[in-house]
Amino acid sequence: MRLLLHICCGPCSAFPLTYLREHSVEVTGFFYNPNIHPYKEFRKRLETAREFARRSALELIVDDRYTLEEFLSNALTAGKGRCSMCYELRLRRTAQYAKEYGFDCFSTTLLVSPYQQHDQIKNVCVKVAREEGISFSYYDFRPGWQQGVQISKDMELYRQPYCGCIFSEKERYMKKRSVNR
Ligand code: SF4
């Protein structure tokens, strides 16, 4: 089975790739994440994903379009639906690429994180799979989260401190500030 795996970052790819290879799935990585802000952080996570792929012998396709203004405008319009909009943007593009280039299915490393909205990611994947005419392979990778953290530490990969967008960066550091007071 040829699977196109959406990769949100290098560290989150560690366990899913290990798991899928152990189950004889042929994996190709796909990096498309215009939700990462600011731009220097985007470059850093992209370079880390590339480093991880190189050291893991993983083919990595990169769509490095960085539609910051469009993302911010959509995020502000979406309000509380911001993360759903963000998941759909990235996963629809993944589904379209998988369909266009003849993959059997797609999935995402977002399904490894206990900090992401797992059920919402799954629902978005099911929806875009149906609309784009390609299979979605669902995996609950979360039991392997700690193993993935350890692999990324052993590889000395850069591990980001917040989800991606400037809104999540604010939430992360404002929380820390108020706790420290
Ligand atoms: S918090 Fe994360 S998932 Fe939600 S909009 Fe920001 S980058 Fe996307």
Side-chain angles (χ1 to χ4, degrees), residues 8-84:
C8 60
C9 64
C12 283
S13 309
F15 178 76
L17 182 62
T18 304
Y19 178 91
L20 291 169
R21 283 180 168 166
E22 279 173 4
H23 290 78
S24 305
V25 179
E26 194 185 323
V27 182
T28 299
F30 184 72
F31 186 99
Y32 174 61
N33 300 292
N35 59 308
I36 302 170
H37 314 148
Y39 184 66
K40 274 172 80 174
E41 176 72 16
F42 171 79
R43 296 300 314 180
K44 199 166 180 175
R45 293 193 200 183
L46 173 54
E47 288 319 310
T48 305
R50 281 196 162 117
E51 183 192 345
F52 171 79
R54 183 178 50 76
R55 291 168 65 187
S56 307
L58 170 71
E59 184 189 353
L60 180 66
I61 296 154
V62 174
D63 182 338
D64 63 357
R65 277 175 294 172
Y66 195 67
T67 48
L68 174 67
E69 295 80 1
E70 191 183 329
F71 182 92
L72 292 178
S73 168
N74 290 340
L76 289 170
T77 305
K80 285 192 166 68
R82 185 187 79 214
C83 293
S84 183

Side-chain angles (χ1 to χ4, degrees), residues 14 16 20 43 89 102 124 129 140 165:
L20 291 169
R43 296 300 314 180
L89 171 73
V124 166
D140 185 353
C165 64

Side-chain angles (χ1 to χ4, degrees), residues 35 71 82-83 86-87 90 116 163-165 168:
N35 59 308
F71 182 92
R82 185 187 79 214
C83 293
C86 175
Y87 295 143
R90 296 184 279 163
Q116 295 287 339
C163 185
C165 64
S168 63

Side-chain angles (χ1 to χ4, degrees), residues 19-20 45 50 62 87 99 106 119 123 125-127 148:
Y19 178 91
L20 291 169
R45 293 193 200 183
R50 281 196 162 117
V62 174
Y87 295 143
K99 169 90 176 170
F106 74 96
D119 290 343
N123 291 341
C125 285
V126 168
K127 175 179 172 244

